């Protein structure tokens, strides 16, 4: 059975199926901040959604990160490296991409296993 949480007309924030959790793209809490703070608040949102869905960051399977400009890659990675528990890094891709709003610097999509 497919379970959808926080579903709107366009998307669900969380979809659960067969022990796997899919999160919609997450962005920062405040787009006026720099890449470091945007990345941290984006990851805080991911962590909260994973907990809501019955998982945590130790159970992430994959992450796709979209970054506005690769010149910010090192700063984003510094936050990411401190956030991901050692030994629990998911499969990951990071690509430079245009963002839905100009002020957004980073977005992430996550797939995780239920605990």
């Amino acid at each position: 059975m497919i379970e959808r949480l926080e579903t709107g007309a366009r998307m669900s924030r969380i979809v659960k199926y067969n022990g796997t959790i899919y999160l919609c793209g997450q962005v920062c809490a405040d787009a006026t901040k720099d890449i470091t703070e945007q990345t941290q608040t984006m990851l805080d949102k991911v962590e909260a959604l994973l907990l809501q869905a019955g998982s945590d960051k130790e159970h992430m399977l994959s992450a796709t990160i979209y970054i506005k400009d690769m010149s910010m890659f090192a700063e984003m990675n510094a936050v990411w490296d401190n956030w991901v528990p050692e030994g629990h890094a998911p499969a990951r891709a990071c690509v430079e991409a245009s963002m839905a709003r100009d002020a957004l610097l980073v977005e992430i999509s996550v797939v995780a296993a239920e605990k």
Side-chain angles (χ1 to χ4, degrees), residues 64-75:
T64 303
I65 299 171
Y66 306 92
I67 190 166
K68 184 174 183 174
D69 188 325
M70 280 295 181
S71 68
M72 297 179 270
F73 187 69
E75 293 91 342

Side-chain angles (χ1 to χ4, degrees), residues 73-98:
F73 187 69
E75 293 91 342
M76 181 276 300
N77 269 331
V79 177
W80 171 265
D81 291 344
N82 285 324
W83 183 77
V84 174
E86 187 173 338
H88 296 278
R92 189 185 104 163
C94 184
V95 297
E96 187 174 276
S98 296

Side-chain angles (χ1 to χ4, degrees), residues 21-114:
I21 298 163
Y22 303 86
L23 302 184
C24 69
Q26 296 299 306
V27 296
C28 63
D30 183 350
T32 66
K33 303 297 184 180
D34 66 9
I35 186 67
T36 299
E37 186 149 343
Q38 284 198 29
T39 302
Q40 185 61 60
T41 61
M42 172 191 74
L43 294 174
D44 291 344
K45 288 167 74 175
V46 166
E47 191 163 4
L49 288 170
L50 288 173
L51 290 173
Q52 178 183 343
S55 189
D56 56 29
K57 57 189 178 179
E58 288 84 9
H59 288 80
M60 287 190 301
L61 302 172
S62 69
T64 303
I65 299 171
Y66 306 92
I67 190 166
K68 184 174 183 174
D69 188 325
M70 280 295 181
S71 68
M72 297 179 270
F73 187 69
E75 293 91 342
M76 181 276 300
N77 269 331
V79 177
W80 171 265
D81 291 344
N82 285 324
W83 183 77
V84 174
E86 187 173 338
H88 296 278
R92 189 185 104 163
C94 184
V95 297
E96 187 174 276
S98 296
M99 297 291 160
R101 295 185 322 226
D102 194 49
L104 293 172
L105 303 176
V106 63
E107 181 173 349
I108 190 168
S109 181
V110 171
V111 177
E114 285 187 292

